[in-house]
Amino acid sequence: MSTKTRYMNVRKQVDEACEQAGRSPQDVLLLAVSKTVDCDEVALAIEGGATAFGENRPDELLRKQAAFPDKSWHFIGNIQSRRIPDIVSAADLIHSVSKAEHLPKIDKAAAKLGKIQPVLIEVNVSGEESKSGLRPEEVLEVIKDAAGLGSVRIQGLMTMAPRADQEAIERSFGGLAKLRDSLQEQLDEEDIDVTLSDISMGMTEDWPQAIELGTTMVRVGRAIFDSSFE
Ligand SMILES: *Cc1c(COP(=O)(O)O)cnc(C)c1O
């Protein structure tokens, strides 16, 4: 099976899962995580219909975005301050803002380029020490502090589920969806002009649960690009 076929199969399964969950397939973006492959494989995924790709290293983001500038490129990796200008220059969406101090730096880099940078806040819902992301109770304050930045748009939340049993995965995804709802309520009450419209959760092993629990973006790598996933 080729990357093209695997992409088409995953998209079909995502569409079916949406229908089963009573959701519209248009409401769930399938982000093809191309971090382990080269441009030839990206081209095959595009043949299968892929339009949006995720990268976790700035150099790869820049290289592949330059090769396929009409596709949408998202940054999903750990952010180092000194690479923020590069990331901002190439990313349509940054999923992985996990430190408050990065937001003013992203704002500055975006202002320089005359763009407004959409971002998601990464949240460590499961509380595992090894995971990056803000603690759930920190997120409101960080959003409020950043709401006045003119060149950053906070557009939602992202999480990674623990590699664990179904229950732990569902607690993590369900927790993020609930957190989004309660944050939105508090932001509205305080008249803060931020709309958390996106939830980025779900990867190769756990995207079906994420669709049931309200994700708007699944980030799938191996099921598309690894030939051992047939
Ligand atoms: C690698 C990666 C993915 C994709 O993981 P797969 O298990 O290959 O689907 C998704 N999100 C992030 C943040 C990643 O680093």
Side-chain angles (χ1 to χ4, degrees), residues 33 35 56 76-77 158 160 163 202-205 219-223:
V33 176
K35 65 190 183 191
N56 68 345
I76 62 171
M158 178 272 227
M160 312 246 287
R163 284 189 166 271
M203 315 184 356
T204 290
E205 307 277 359
R219 310 179 307 268
V220 178
R222 287 170 298 148

Side-chain angles (χ1 to χ4, degrees), residues 1-222:
M1 210 190 281
S2 75
T3 291
K4 175 181 172 183
T5 312
R6 279 193 301 274
Y7 176 85
M8 291 170 73
N9 285 347
V10 174
R11 183 66 243 187
K12 187 155 160 271
Q13 289 162 15
V14 166
D15 291 351
E16 286 165 2
C18 285
E19 267 146 34
Q20 266 187 16
R23 305 187 54 203
S24 164
Q26 278 140 345
D27 293 344
V28 178
L29 176 74
L30 172 55
L31 188 70
V33 176
S34 49
K35 65 190 183 191
T36 60
V37 298
D38 211 334
C39 290
D40 53 339
E41 291 288 318
V42 170
L44 290 172
I46 291 170
E47 275 182 36
T51 58
F53 294 88
E55 287 289 334
N56 68 345
R57 288 170 47 210
D59 290 336
E60 282 293 289
L61 174 75
L62 292 172
R63 190 171 75 86
K64 292 190 185 121
Q65 193 269 343
F68 303 96
D70 61 328
K71 299 302 167 218
S72 183
W73 290 91
H74 296 200
F75 189 74
I76 62 171
N78 184 43
I79 298 172
Q80 291 176 289
S81 289
R82 65 183 176 85
R83 301 308 305 271
I84 284 174
D86 286 330
I87 295 169
V88 168
S89 76
D92 290 310
L93 178 65
I94 301 173
H95 289 234
S96 45
V97 175
S98 62
K99 292 200 175 106
E101 75 234 36
H102 287 160
L103 288 164
K105 292 176 180 161
I106 292 170
D107 182 62
K108 204 171 144 199
K112 235 182 196 169
L113 295 169
K115 80 183 269 201
I116 291 178
Q117 179 65 60
V119 304
L120 308 179
I121 304 294
E122 182 171 355
V123 187
N124 184 355
V125 184
S126 65
E128 284 178 301
E129 298 233 348
S130 61
K131 286 239 174 340
S132 53
L134 294 172
R135 284 181 285 123
E137 60 273 22
E138 293 175 310
V139 179
L140 180 63
E141 221 38 55
V142 169
I143 293 177
K144 282 164 68 176
D145 284 347
L149 298 172
S151 301
V152 174
R153 186 170 72 234
I154 298 177
Q155 184 171 295
L157 306 177
M158 178 272 227
T159 201
M160 312 246 287
R163 284 189 166 271
D165 53 289
Q166 298 289 343
E167 259 177 61
I169 292 169
E170 281 172 21
R171 258 201 313 280
S172 164
F173 289 166
L176 192 71
K178 268 203 195 136
L179 178 66
R180 190 270 302 264
D181 294 347
S182 81
L183 287 170
Q184 190 66 62
E185 215 170 278
Q186 294 172 81
L187 292 164
D188 291 347
E189 263 172 31
E190 299 189 38
D191 258 334
I192 293 164
D193 186 18
V194 170
T195 305
L196 303 173
S197 46
D198 280 305
I199 302 186
S200 168
M201 57 186 188
M203 315 184 356
T204 290
E205 307 277 359
D206 53 26
W207 65 258
Q209 289 107 298
I211 287 183
E212 277 176 38
L213 293 165
T215 190
T216 66
M217 297 179 169
V218 291
R219 310 179 307 268
V220 178
R222 287 170 298 148

